Short mmCIF file of all heavy atoms in Angstrom, two decimals:
data_model
loop_
_atom_site.label_atom_id
_atom_site.label_comp_id
_atom_site.label_asym_id
_atom_site.label_seq_id
_atom_site.Cartn_x
_atom_site.Cartn_y
_atom_site.Cartn_z
N GLN A 1297 -4.71 3.66 12.70
CA GLN A 1297 -5.78 4.31 13.44
C GLN A 1297 -5.32 5.66 14.00
O GLN A 1297 -6.07 6.63 14.01
CB GLN A 1297 -6.27 3.40 14.57
CG GLN A 1297 -7.04 2.18 14.08
CD GLN A 1297 -7.40 1.24 15.21
OE1 GLN A 1297 -6.64 1.06 16.15
NE2 GLN A 1297 -8.58 0.62 15.12
N ALA A 1298 -4.07 5.69 14.47
CA ALA A 1298 -3.53 6.93 15.03
C ALA A 1298 -3.41 8.02 13.96
O ALA A 1298 -3.43 9.21 14.28
CB ALA A 1298 -2.16 6.67 15.66
N LYS A 1299 -3.31 7.57 12.70
CA LYS A 1299 -3.20 8.52 11.59
C LYS A 1299 -4.56 8.90 11.02
O LYS A 1299 -4.64 9.56 9.99
CB LYS A 1299 -2.31 7.94 10.50
CG LYS A 1299 -0.86 7.76 10.93
CD LYS A 1299 -0.03 7.11 9.85
CE LYS A 1299 1.42 6.95 10.28
NZ LYS A 1299 2.25 6.26 9.27
N GLY A 1300 -5.63 8.43 11.67
CA GLY A 1300 -6.97 8.82 11.24
C GLY A 1300 -7.71 7.80 10.42
O GLY A 1300 -8.83 8.06 9.96
N VAL A 1301 -7.10 6.64 10.19
CA VAL A 1301 -7.78 5.57 9.44
C VAL A 1301 -8.52 4.73 10.48
O VAL A 1301 -7.91 3.92 11.18
CB VAL A 1301 -6.77 4.71 8.67
CG1 VAL A 1301 -7.50 3.65 7.85
CG2 VAL A 1301 -5.90 5.58 7.78
N THR A 1302 -9.83 4.90 10.58
CA THR A 1302 -10.55 4.31 11.72
C THR A 1302 -11.55 3.22 11.35
O THR A 1302 -11.73 2.28 12.13
CB THR A 1302 -11.29 5.42 12.49
OG1 THR A 1302 -12.15 6.13 11.58
CG2 THR A 1302 -10.29 6.40 13.11
N THR A 1303 -12.20 3.31 10.21
CA THR A 1303 -13.21 2.30 9.88
C THR A 1303 -12.53 1.01 9.42
O THR A 1303 -11.42 1.03 8.90
CB THR A 1303 -14.16 2.79 8.77
OG1 THR A 1303 -13.43 2.90 7.54
CG2 THR A 1303 -14.76 4.14 9.14
N THR A 1304 -13.23 -0.10 9.62
CA THR A 1304 -12.65 -1.39 9.21
C THR A 1304 -12.44 -1.45 7.70
O THR A 1304 -11.49 -2.06 7.23
CB THR A 1304 -13.54 -2.55 9.66
OG1 THR A 1304 -14.87 -2.35 9.17
CG2 THR A 1304 -13.56 -2.66 11.17
N ARG A 1305 -13.31 -0.81 6.94
CA ARG A 1305 -13.15 -0.81 5.48
C ARG A 1305 -11.90 -0.02 5.08
O ARG A 1305 -11.11 -0.46 4.24
CB ARG A 1305 -14.39 -0.21 4.81
CG ARG A 1305 -14.31 -0.19 3.28
CD ARG A 1305 -15.62 0.29 2.66
NE ARG A 1305 -16.71 -0.62 2.99
CZ ARG A 1305 -16.94 -1.77 2.36
NH1 ARG A 1305 -16.15 -2.13 1.36
NH2 ARG A 1305 -17.94 -2.52 2.71
N ALA A 1306 -11.71 1.14 5.70
CA ALA A 1306 -10.55 1.97 5.38
C ALA A 1306 -9.26 1.27 5.82
O ALA A 1306 -8.23 1.34 5.14
CB ALA A 1306 -10.67 3.33 6.06
N LEU A 1307 -9.31 0.59 6.96
CA LEU A 1307 -8.14 -0.14 7.44
C LEU A 1307 -7.79 -1.28 6.49
O LEU A 1307 -6.61 -1.53 6.20
CB LEU A 1307 -8.40 -0.70 8.85
CG LEU A 1307 -8.43 0.33 9.98
CD1 LEU A 1307 -8.99 -0.29 11.25
CD2 LEU A 1307 -7.02 0.87 10.25
N ALA A 1308 -8.81 -1.98 6.01
CA ALA A 1308 -8.57 -3.08 5.06
C ALA A 1308 -7.91 -2.54 3.79
O ALA A 1308 -6.96 -3.13 3.27
CB ALA A 1308 -9.89 -3.77 4.73
N GLU A 1309 -8.41 -1.44 3.28
CA GLU A 1309 -7.84 -0.85 2.07
C GLU A 1309 -6.39 -0.42 2.29
O GLU A 1309 -5.54 -0.60 1.42
CB GLU A 1309 -8.69 0.35 1.63
CG GLU A 1309 -10.09 -0.05 1.15
CD GLU A 1309 -10.95 1.16 0.84
OE1 GLU A 1309 -10.54 2.30 1.17
OE2 GLU A 1309 -12.06 0.98 0.30
N ALA A 1310 -6.11 0.14 3.48
CA ALA A 1310 -4.76 0.60 3.78
C ALA A 1310 -3.79 -0.57 3.89
O ALA A 1310 -2.66 -0.51 3.41
CB ALA A 1310 -4.76 1.41 5.09
N LEU A 1311 -4.22 -1.66 4.51
CA LEU A 1311 -3.36 -2.85 4.64
C LEU A 1311 -3.08 -3.46 3.26
O LEU A 1311 -1.95 -3.87 2.98
CB LEU A 1311 -4.03 -3.88 5.55
CG LEU A 1311 -4.10 -3.51 7.03
CD1 LEU A 1311 -5.01 -4.48 7.78
CD2 LEU A 1311 -2.70 -3.52 7.65
N ASN A 1312 -4.10 -3.51 2.42
CA ASN A 1312 -3.91 -4.03 1.07
C ASN A 1312 -2.96 -3.14 0.27
O ASN A 1312 -2.12 -3.63 -0.49
CB ASN A 1312 -5.26 -4.14 0.35
CG ASN A 1312 -6.12 -5.27 0.90
OD1 ASN A 1312 -5.60 -6.28 1.38
ND2 ASN A 1312 -7.42 -5.10 0.84
N ALA A 1313 -3.08 -1.83 0.46
CA ALA A 1313 -2.22 -0.89 -0.26
C ALA A 1313 -0.76 -1.05 0.15
O ALA A 1313 0.15 -0.81 -0.65
CB ALA A 1313 -2.69 0.55 0.01
N ARG A 1314 -0.54 -1.46 1.40
CA ARG A 1314 0.82 -1.66 1.88
C ARG A 1314 1.40 -3.01 1.46
O ARG A 1314 2.55 -3.31 1.75
CB ARG A 1314 0.86 -1.55 3.41
CG ARG A 1314 0.64 -0.15 3.95
CD ARG A 1314 0.93 -0.09 5.43
NE ARG A 1314 0.81 1.26 5.96
CZ ARG A 1314 1.28 1.65 7.13
NH1 ARG A 1314 1.91 0.77 7.90
NH2 ARG A 1314 1.12 2.88 7.56
N GLY A 1315 0.57 -3.84 0.86
CA GLY A 1315 1.05 -5.15 0.43
C GLY A 1315 1.08 -6.19 1.52
O GLY A 1315 1.69 -7.25 1.38
N ILE A 1316 0.40 -5.92 2.63
CA ILE A 1316 0.35 -6.86 3.75
C ILE A 1316 -0.81 -7.82 3.53
O ILE A 1316 -1.93 -7.40 3.22
CB ILE A 1316 0.16 -6.11 5.08
CG1 ILE A 1316 1.37 -5.20 5.33
CG2 ILE A 1316 -0.02 -7.09 6.24
CD1 ILE A 1316 1.21 -4.27 6.50
N ARG A 1317 -0.55 -9.11 3.67
CA ARG A 1317 -1.57 -10.14 3.45
C ARG A 1317 -2.14 -10.64 4.77
O ARG A 1317 -1.55 -10.46 5.83
CB ARG A 1317 -0.96 -11.31 2.68
CG ARG A 1317 -0.48 -10.94 1.29
CD ARG A 1317 -1.63 -10.51 0.42
NE ARG A 1317 -1.20 -10.17 -0.94
CZ ARG A 1317 -2.03 -9.79 -1.90
NH1 ARG A 1317 -3.32 -9.69 -1.65
NH2 ARG A 1317 -1.57 -9.48 -3.10
N THR A 1318 -3.29 -11.28 4.68
CA THR A 1318 -3.90 -11.88 5.85
C THR A 1318 -3.14 -13.14 6.24
O THR A 1318 -2.21 -13.55 5.55
CB THR A 1318 -5.37 -12.25 5.59
OG1 THR A 1318 -5.40 -13.28 4.57
CG2 THR A 1318 -6.16 -11.05 5.09
N ALA A 1319 -3.54 -13.77 7.34
CA ALA A 1319 -2.87 -14.98 7.81
C ALA A 1319 -2.91 -16.09 6.77
O ALA A 1319 -2.03 -16.94 6.72
CB ALA A 1319 -3.50 -15.46 9.12
N ARG A 1320 -3.94 -16.08 5.93
CA ARG A 1320 -4.07 -17.09 4.88
C ARG A 1320 -3.50 -16.65 3.55
O ARG A 1320 -3.65 -17.32 2.53
CB ARG A 1320 -5.53 -17.48 4.71
CG ARG A 1320 -6.13 -18.16 5.96
CD ARG A 1320 -7.54 -18.62 5.72
NE ARG A 1320 -8.09 -19.32 6.87
CZ ARG A 1320 -9.31 -19.84 6.92
NH1 ARG A 1320 -10.11 -19.73 5.86
NH2 ARG A 1320 -9.73 -20.46 8.01
N GLY A 1321 -2.86 -15.49 3.55
CA GLY A 1321 -2.22 -15.00 2.34
C GLY A 1321 -3.14 -14.28 1.38
O GLY A 1321 -2.78 -14.04 0.23
N GLY A 1322 -4.34 -13.93 1.83
CA GLY A 1322 -5.31 -13.26 0.96
C GLY A 1322 -5.39 -11.76 1.22
O GLY A 1322 -4.58 -11.19 1.95
#
């Protein structure tokens, strides 16, 4: 968010791009 990624959709895409999974591994 501090880097300008503010919407939930953009945040989701950024987390997926980093290879970070959700609590359930998805």
Side-chain angles (χ1 to χ4, degrees):
Q1297 289 175 325
K1299 294 177 180 177
V1301 183
T1302 56
T1303 67
T1304 54
R1305 182 175 297 280
L1307 288 168
E1309 292 175 351
L1311 290 169
N1312 289 330
R1314 289 190 176 195
I1316 297 171
R1317 297 295 181 179
T1318 65
R1320 295 184 177 181

